[in-house]
mmCIF file of all heavy atoms in Angstrom:
data_model
loop_
_atom_site.group_PDB
_atom_site.id
_atom_site.type_symbol
_atom_site.label_atom_id
_atom_site.label_comp_id
_atom_site.label_asym_id
_atom_site.label_seq_id
_atom_site.Cartn_x
_atom_site.Cartn_y
_atom_site.Cartn_z
ATOM 1 N N THR A 94 9.817 9.780 -8.428
ATOM 2 C CA THR A 94 8.448 10.294 -8.373
ATOM 3 C C THR A 94 8.294 11.462 -9.329
ATOM 4 O O THR A 94 9.272 12.110 -9.701
ATOM 5 C CB THR A 94 8.098 10.758 -6.944
ATOM 6 O OG1 THR A 94 9.068 11.709 -6.510
ATOM 7 C CG2 THR A 94 8.066 9.582 -5.977
ATOM 8 N N GLU A 95 7.047 11.703 -9.710
ATOM 9 C CA GLU A 95 6.769 12.674 -10.765
ATOM 10 C C GLU A 95 6.686 14.109 -10.231
ATOM 11 O O GLU A 95 7.044 15.048 -10.920
ATOM 12 C CB GLU A 95 5.438 12.285 -11.414
ATOM 13 C CG GLU A 95 5.259 12.792 -12.796
ATOM 14 C CD GLU A 95 4.005 12.192 -13.408
ATOM 15 O OE1 GLU A 95 4.095 11.103 -14.004
ATOM 16 O OE2 GLU A 95 2.940 12.810 -13.280
ATOM 17 N N GLY A 96 6.196 14.238 -9.033
ATOM 18 C CA GLY A 96 6.012 15.589 -8.472
ATOM 19 C C GLY A 96 7.117 15.931 -7.491
ATOM 20 O O GLY A 96 7.713 15.053 -6.874
ATOM 21 N N ALA A 97 7.407 17.219 -7.340
ATOM 22 C CA ALA A 97 8.441 17.662 -6.408
ATOM 23 C C ALA A 97 7.883 17.685 -4.987
ATOM 24 O O ALA A 97 6.868 18.324 -4.723
ATOM 25 C CB ALA A 97 8.928 19.044 -6.805
ATOM 26 N N LEU A 98 8.567 16.993 -4.095
ATOM 27 C CA LEU A 98 8.046 16.856 -2.733
ATOM 28 C C LEU A 98 8.278 18.116 -1.885
ATOM 29 O O LEU A 98 7.415 18.501 -1.096
ATOM 30 C CB LEU A 98 8.684 15.635 -2.055
ATOM 31 C CG LEU A 98 8.166 15.313 -0.654
ATOM 32 C CD1 LEU A 98 6.664 15.068 -0.664
ATOM 33 C CD2 LEU A 98 8.898 14.102 -0.077
ATOM 34 N N LEU A 99 9.422 18.759 -2.080
ATOM 35 C CA LEU A 99 9.765 19.864 -1.167
ATOM 36 C C LEU A 99 8.718 20.979 -1.152
ATOM 37 O O LEU A 99 8.264 21.373 -0.068
ATOM 38 C CB LEU A 99 11.169 20.392 -1.496
ATOM 39 C CG LEU A 99 11.725 21.410 -0.502
ATOM 40 C CD1 LEU A 99 11.781 20.817 0.910
ATOM 41 C CD2 LEU A 99 13.096 21.897 -0.930
ATOM 42 N N PRO A 100 8.295 21.494 -2.312
ATOM 43 C CA PRO A 100 7.246 22.534 -2.268
ATOM 44 C C PRO A 100 5.967 22.042 -1.593
ATOM 45 O O PRO A 100 5.311 22.811 -0.879
ATOM 46 C CB PRO A 100 6.981 22.851 -3.745
ATOM 47 C CG PRO A 100 8.135 22.292 -4.500
ATOM 48 C CD PRO A 100 8.731 21.197 -3.672
ATOM 49 N N ALA A 101 5.652 20.765 -1.802
ATOM 50 C CA ALA A 101 4.437 20.212 -1.185
ATOM 51 C C ALA A 101 4.586 20.172 0.336
ATOM 52 O O ALA A 101 3.640 20.446 1.074
ATOM 53 C CB ALA A 101 4.166 18.817 -1.734
ATOM 54 N N LEU A 102 5.797 19.848 0.801
ATOM 55 C CA LEU A 102 6.046 19.824 2.249
ATOM 56 C C LEU A 102 5.924 21.219 2.850
ATOM 57 O O LEU A 102 5.413 21.393 3.955
ATOM 58 C CB LEU A 102 7.439 19.267 2.539
ATOM 59 C CG LEU A 102 7.641 17.771 2.335
ATOM 60 C CD1 LEU A 102 9.101 17.404 2.590
ATOM 61 C CD2 LEU A 102 6.727 16.960 3.245
ATOM 62 N N LEU A 103 6.392 22.206 2.094
ATOM 63 C CA LEU A 103 6.320 23.568 2.599
ATOM 64 C C LEU A 103 4.881 24.056 2.656
ATOM 65 O O LEU A 103 4.494 24.801 3.546
ATOM 66 C CB LEU A 103 7.177 24.503 1.714
ATOM 67 C CG LEU A 103 8.677 24.214 1.740
ATOM 68 C CD1 LEU A 103 9.414 25.059 0.722
ATOM 69 C CD2 LEU A 103 9.255 24.443 3.142
ATOM 70 N N ARG A 104 4.090 23.607 1.707
ATOM 71 C CA ARG A 104 2.709 24.116 1.598
ATOM 72 C C ARG A 104 1.719 23.393 2.488
ATOM 73 O O ARG A 104 0.751 23.974 2.937
ATOM 74 C CB ARG A 104 2.230 23.954 0.140
ATOM 75 C CG ARG A 104 2.428 25.182 -0.687
ATOM 76 C CD ARG A 104 1.811 25.020 -2.060
ATOM 77 N NE ARG A 104 0.354 25.150 -2.045
ATOM 78 C CZ ARG A 104 -0.409 24.784 -3.053
ATOM 79 N NH1 ARG A 104 0.115 24.225 -4.129
ATOM 80 N NH2 ARG A 104 -1.711 24.959 -2.988
ATOM 81 N N ALA A 108 1.199 16.800 4.575
ATOM 82 C CA ALA A 108 2.340 16.153 3.920
ATOM 83 C C ALA A 108 3.505 16.036 4.894
ATOM 84 O O ALA A 108 4.183 15.003 4.960
ATOM 85 C CB ALA A 108 2.754 16.942 2.680
ATOM 86 N N VAL A 112 5.294 12.489 6.201
ATOM 87 C CA VAL A 112 6.722 12.206 6.053
ATOM 88 C C VAL A 112 7.392 12.058 7.427
ATOM 89 O O VAL A 112 8.161 11.116 7.648
ATOM 90 C CB VAL A 112 7.407 13.302 5.202
ATOM 91 C CG1 VAL A 112 8.928 13.161 5.248
ATOM 92 C CG2 VAL A 112 6.914 13.219 3.753
ATOM 93 N N THR A 178 -2.470 12.031 0.669
ATOM 94 C CA THR A 178 -1.390 12.037 1.650
ATOM 95 C C THR A 178 -0.510 13.293 1.555
ATOM 96 O O THR A 178 0.453 13.434 2.298
ATOM 97 C CB THR A 178 -0.524 10.766 1.513
ATOM 98 O OG1 THR A 178 -0.210 10.556 0.130
ATOM 99 C CG2 THR A 178 -1.266 9.552 2.047
ATOM 100 N N ILE A 179 -0.852 14.193 0.653
ATOM 101 C CA ILE A 179 -0.212 15.518 0.629
ATOM 102 C C ILE A 179 -1.142 16.574 1.231
ATOM 103 O O ILE A 179 -0.769 17.302 2.135
ATOM 104 C CB ILE A 179 0.174 15.929 -0.816
ATOM 105 C CG1 ILE A 179 1.278 15.011 -1.367
ATOM 106 C CG2 ILE A 179 0.605 17.395 -0.873
ATOM 107 C CD1 ILE A 179 2.647 15.212 -0.762
ATOM 108 N N ALA A 190 1.009 12.983 -7.053
ATOM 109 C CA ALA A 190 2.180 12.889 -7.936
ATOM 110 C C ALA A 190 3.488 12.918 -7.156
ATOM 111 O O ALA A 190 4.474 12.302 -7.558
ATOM 112 C CB ALA A 190 2.148 14.038 -8.942
ATOM 113 N N GLU A 191 3.484 13.604 -6.010
ATOM 114 C CA GLU A 191 4.719 13.738 -5.220
ATOM 115 C C GLU A 191 5.209 12.395 -4.694
ATOM 116 O O GLU A 191 6.379 12.246 -4.351
ATOM 117 C CB GLU A 191 4.477 14.680 -4.034
ATOM 118 C CG GLU A 191 4.295 16.141 -4.410
ATOM 119 C CD GLU A 191 2.848 16.463 -4.812
ATOM 120 O OE1 GLU A 191 2.036 15.532 -5.003
ATOM 121 O OE2 GLU A 191 2.545 17.670 -4.940
ATOM 122 N N PHE A 192 4.301 11.429 -4.611
ATOM 123 C CA PHE A 192 4.684 10.098 -4.120
ATOM 124 C C PHE A 192 4.536 9.033 -5.206
ATOM 125 O O PHE A 192 4.593 7.842 -4.900
ATOM 126 C CB PHE A 192 3.810 9.705 -2.916
ATOM 127 C CG PHE A 192 4.051 10.527 -1.674
ATOM 128 C CD1 PHE A 192 2.986 11.061 -0.957
ATOM 129 C CD2 PHE A 192 5.340 10.761 -1.203
ATOM 130 C CE1 PHE A 192 3.199 11.812 0.193
ATOM 131 C CE2 PHE A 192 5.555 11.513 -0.050
ATOM 132 C CZ PHE A 192 4.492 12.044 0.647
ATOM 133 N N GLY A 250 6.000 18.933 -11.417
ATOM 134 C CA GLY A 250 7.256 19.241 -10.746
ATOM 135 C C GLY A 250 8.401 18.444 -11.334
ATOM 136 O O GLY A 250 8.220 17.647 -12.246
ATOM 137 N N VAL A 251 9.556 18.687 -10.814
ATOM 138 C CA VAL A 251 10.702 17.877 -11.204
ATOM 139 C C VAL A 251 10.831 16.726 -10.211
ATOM 140 O O VAL A 251 10.382 16.833 -9.084
ATOM 141 C CB VAL A 251 12.000 18.717 -11.200
ATOM 142 C CG1 VAL A 251 11.943 19.749 -12.304
ATOM 143 C CG2 VAL A 251 12.206 19.396 -9.858
ATOM 144 N N PRO A 252 11.421 15.612 -10.646
ATOM 145 C CA PRO A 252 11.560 14.479 -9.733
ATOM 146 C C PRO A 252 12.312 14.861 -8.452
ATOM 147 O O PRO A 252 13.244 15.654 -8.507
ATOM 148 C CB PRO A 252 12.370 13.458 -10.540
ATOM 149 C CG PRO A 252 12.138 13.836 -11.960
ATOM 150 C CD PRO A 252 11.953 15.328 -11.968
ATOM 151 N N ALA A 253 11.864 14.351 -7.364
ATOM 152 C CA ALA A 253 12.491 14.697 -6.081
ATOM 153 C C ALA A 253 12.952 13.443 -5.375
ATOM 154 O O ALA A 253 12.351 12.384 -5.532
ATOM 155 C CB ALA A 253 11.491 15.430 -5.200
ATOM 156 N N GLU A 254 14.007 13.547 -4.632
ATOM 157 C CA GLU A 254 14.436 12.454 -3.759
ATOM 158 C C GLU A 254 14.057 12.836 -2.342
ATOM 159 O O GLU A 254 14.237 13.971 -1.932
ATOM 160 C CB GLU A 254 15.953 12.288 -3.825
ATOM 161 C CG GLU A 254 16.468 12.034 -5.222
ATOM 162 C CD GLU A 254 16.722 10.574 -5.460
ATOM 163 O OE1 GLU A 254 17.378 9.948 -4.617
ATOM 164 O OE2 GLU A 254 16.267 10.057 -6.494
ATOM 165 N N VAL A 255 13.518 11.866 -1.626
ATOM 166 C CA VAL A 255 13.115 12.177 -0.249
ATOM 167 C C VAL A 255 14.353 12.130 0.636
ATOM 168 O O VAL A 255 15.088 11.169 0.610
ATOM 169 C CB VAL A 255 12.092 11.156 0.259
ATOM 170 C CG1 VAL A 255 11.639 11.572 1.662
ATOM 171 C CG2 VAL A 255 10.917 11.075 -0.662
#
Side-chain angles (χ1 to χ4, degrees):
T94 55
E95 203 172 272
L98 184 58
L99 188 58
L102 288 177
L103 295 173
R104 265 186 76 194
V112 170
T178 47
I179 293 288
E191 290 84 349
F192 292 132
V251 292
E254 303 261 311
V255 183

